[in-house]
């Protein structure tokens, strides 16, 4: 958890000043709140699905249960997102 915290804080400290400098304070703040809302909603959906499926659930397991024909596409999208964050 410390490694994830370090990654999140590091990316935020490097990217937020640039985003606010480019967009301005008002639009930058709006984008921060919209992004936080989407992130919180996604985590909420993940928690609800985890409660339904069981305690040891992963995103791969959820995608295999819900959409087995495109589970590989979900894995690719998550890998692409992780690469973008890195």
């Amino acid at each position: 958890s410390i490694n994830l915290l370090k990654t999140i804080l590091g990316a935020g400290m490097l990217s937020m000043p640039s985003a606010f400098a480019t967009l301005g304070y008002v639009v930058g703040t709006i984008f921060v709140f919209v992004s936080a809302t989407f992130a919180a909603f996604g985590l909420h959906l993940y928690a609800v699905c985890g409660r339904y499926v069981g305690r040891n659930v992963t995103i791969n397991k959820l995608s295999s249960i819900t959409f087995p024909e495109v589970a590989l596409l979900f894995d690719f999208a998550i890998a692409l997102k992780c690469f973008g964050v890195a």
Side-chain angles (χ1 to χ4, degrees):
S1 61
I2 291 176
N3 190 25
L4 286 174
L5 182 65
K6 181 182 73 160
T7 302
I8 292 168
L9 288 176
M13 285 189 290
L14 292 174
S15 65
M16 294 305 284
S18 174
F20 276 98
T22 304
L23 298 173
Y25 289 118
V26 175
V27 178
T29 304
I30 290 171
F31 273 109
V32 166
F33 282 118
V34 168
S35 298
T37 302
F38 284 144
F41 183 64
L43 288 173
H44 169 72
L45 290 177
Y46 186 57
V48 169
C49 291
R51 208 174 311 130
Y52 178 75
V53 172
R55 187 163 183 90
N56 295 328
V57 67
T58 63
I59 293 176
N60 187 358
K61 188 175 182 181
L62 282 176
S63 64
S64 296
I65 292 170
T66 55
F67 298 106
E69 57 275 352
V70 292
L72 188 62
L73 183 64
F74 282 121
D75 289 340
F76 177 72
I78 291 169
L80 187 66
K81 179 225 175 246
C82 290
F83 180 74
V85 169

